[in-house]
Amino acid sequence: MSFPDITSELKARLPELRGRLIANASLADITWFRVGGPAQVLFTPADEADLAYFLKTLGGALPVFVIGLGSNLLVRDGGVPGVVIRLGRGFGEVKAEPGHTLRAGTAVPDVKVARAAADAGITGLAFYRGIPGSIGGALRMNAGAHGRETKDALIEARAVDPRGTVHVLSNADMKYTYRHCGIPEDWIFTEALYGGEAGDPAEILKQMDEVAAYREKNQPIKERTGGSTFKNPPGHSSWKLIDAAGCRGLRVGGAHVSTMHCNFLINDQGASGEDVERLGETVRARVKANSGVTLNWEIIRLGLPTDGHPIGEALALPAS
Ligand SMILES: Cc1cc2nc3c(=O)[nH]c(=O)nc-3n(C[C@H](O)[C@H](O)[C@H](O)COP(=O)(O)OP(=O)(O)OC[C@H]3O[C@@H](n4cnc5c(N)ncnc54)[C@H](O)[C@@H]3O)c2cc1C
């Protein structure tokens, strides 16, 4: 499927734009699940000023959605109308600053931030070693692991709102809760400032190795997956509820529930976006029937289904 090409129209409307616009860009190629349709337009801004110019001049005329490294995204098969923004090199710097702080652009992978912090002897960011997203995704999702989350290390973040205004947000402004940030969903983070304590680089690198070894052993990190599919409901582990509902290994089309970690869904046989979403919704329905607990998606689902197909709960298969 493809959308009408509106890139010429956009270029005419945005004469000072320096970033790149691509029509009908594959999102399957740049997201972990490797499923789903294209973005009507994929925009890679040159830098923060270019991003602000784009948003201000566009004035909300088209839907806009920002993605990072696509490690927490499920793209539907009908693709994403409007503009998908992906930050690139202009947001790719990471540098240590005085007072055991570290500044990173939001296109920087979390693992690179963990390494830079270790090199500079800054504690508190080793947990980023195991999270395969970008800093933008980490700020939005309050990404966390091994007892720490983004909230614990962040001093402040920069963001551009849909009018093109740049904001500096304190940690408290972010209104963080478990895997959630309270900043409006249409604001785009451009930079983060982290703070830690002085630490021994060798000791921090050792912690990072431990994080990597744990992941390797306990999670299917080399598969086409979106990581943890559902948030842990208060007082429960999603994987335990999924296991108890008999869903370990459950298959729908080209996707199945990981047998290694059953809160992970895996595309191992050329799944469609719909296969993955149907699998997730079937798991949710079976967990609800078995335990009475409602699982909520942690993975962000994005875009339109194939014409006329349902989305969400309506996809769940009946109990067998
Ligand atoms: C194997 C595997 C293991 C994982 N383990 C963990 C884990 O231990 N802990 C954990 O928390 N997560 C984990 N995840 C999930 C995922 O890596 C995190 O949620 C990560 O923070 C997402 O970052 P991303 O750049 O891939 O964002 P994407 O998946 O591209 O996007 C996720 C959300 O972030 C938003 N976003 C992205 N960039 C920006 C930006 N610049 N400004 C505003 N919003 C933005 C998107 O709009 C979307 O809502 C795992 C995923 C995989 C595949």
Side-chain angles (χ1 to χ4, degrees):
M1 74 120 333
S2 65
F3 294 103
D5 181 350
I6 54 168
T7 51
S8 309
E9 209 177 297
L10 279 175
K11 281 177 191 160
R13 203 159 153 178
L14 297 151
E16 288 159 37
L17 199 70
R18 290 171 289 121
R20 199 160 47 130
L21 297 169
I22 302 174
N24 287 302
S26 165
L27 291 173
D29 289 347
I30 54 174
T31 51
W32 269 62
F33 268 125
R34 296 280 186 273
V35 298
Q40 183 167 18
V41 176
L42 183 68
F43 171 47
T44 311
D47 51 29
E48 187 187 80
D50 198 40
L51 172 65
Y53 167 72
F54 178 86
L55 294 170
K56 185 176 173 195
T57 313
L58 198 64
L62 286 170
V64 167
F65 190 90
V66 64
I67 66 169
L69 291 176
S71 63
N72 202 50
L73 289 180
L74 171 52
V75 182
R76 295 194 175 107
D77 302 315
V80 183
V83 181
V84 171
I85 297 182
R86 189 169 192 251
L87 306 182
R89 231 175 293 158
F91 303 81
E93 250 194 72
V94 51
K95 60 175 191 292
E97 295 190 349
H100 314 299
T101 61
L102 192 85
R103 195 174 290 278
T106 45
V108 180
D110 299 352
V111 59
K112 211 171 152 189
V113 166
R115 281 206 196 100
D119 290 346
I122 300 169
T123 60
L125 285 159
F127 72 102
Y128 269 180
R129 168 65 183 84
I131 303 177
S134 65
I135 293 306
L139 292 176
R140 172 58 67 193
M141 300 303 301
N142 189 17
H146 307 277
R148 279 181 76 77
E149 53 188 10
T150 298
K151 172 176 172 273
D152 301 326
L154 188 75
I155 297 174
E156 62 186 33
R158 281 172 76 91
V160 184
D161 74 17
R163 293 183 177 159
T165 306
V166 176
H167 302 259
V168 176
L169 303 156
S170 69
N171 183 308
D173 291 338
M174 300 290 272
K175 300 188 189 75
Y176 275 134
T177 52
Y178 169 56
R179 301 293 174 268
H180 180 79
C181 167
I183 296 298
E185 287 184 2
D186 51 4
W187 289 30
I188 298 179
F189 299 117
T190 54
E191 193 180 85
L193 179 68
Y194 294 100
E197 308 281 325
D200 172 12
E203 181 51 38
I204 300 169
L205 284 168
K206 193 167 146 245
Q207 280 172 26
M208 286 170 58
D209 286 345
E210 284 164 12
V211 167
Y214 176 86
R215 296 267 154 173
E216 190 91 13
K217 192 160 165 234
N218 296 294
Q219 293 183 357
I221 51 173
K222 292 185 178 137
E223 307 280 356
R224 297 174 170 197
T225 179
S228 293
T229 310
F230 303 107
K231 298 184 189 191
N232 287 323
H236 296 277
S237 279
S238 291
W239 78 263
K240 285 186 186 161
L241 295 168
I242 295 168
D243 209 9
C247 296
R248 185 181 287 264
L250 178 70
R251 175 170 290 280
V252 170
H256 74 280
V257 175
S258 168
T259 49
M260 186 192 227
H261 187 316
C262 53
N263 196 21
F264 280 49
L265 306 183
I266 292 175
N267 165 18
D268 62 331
Q269 293 179 13
S272 61
E274 189 170 307
D275 286 344
V276 181
E277 187 169 5
R278 189 186 299 281
L279 179 61
E281 288 297 344
T282 303
V283 168
R284 284 185 74 225
R286 292 190 184 177
V287 166
K288 179 77 179 173
N290 185 60
S291 62
V293 179
T294 301
L295 293 179
N296 290 315
W297 287 83
E298 177 174 327
I299 288 176
I300 311 287
R301 288 160 299 159
L302 173 65
L304 306 172
T306 303
D307 272 350
H309 287 218
I311 58 168
E313 287 179 4
L315 286 168
L317 295 174
S320 49

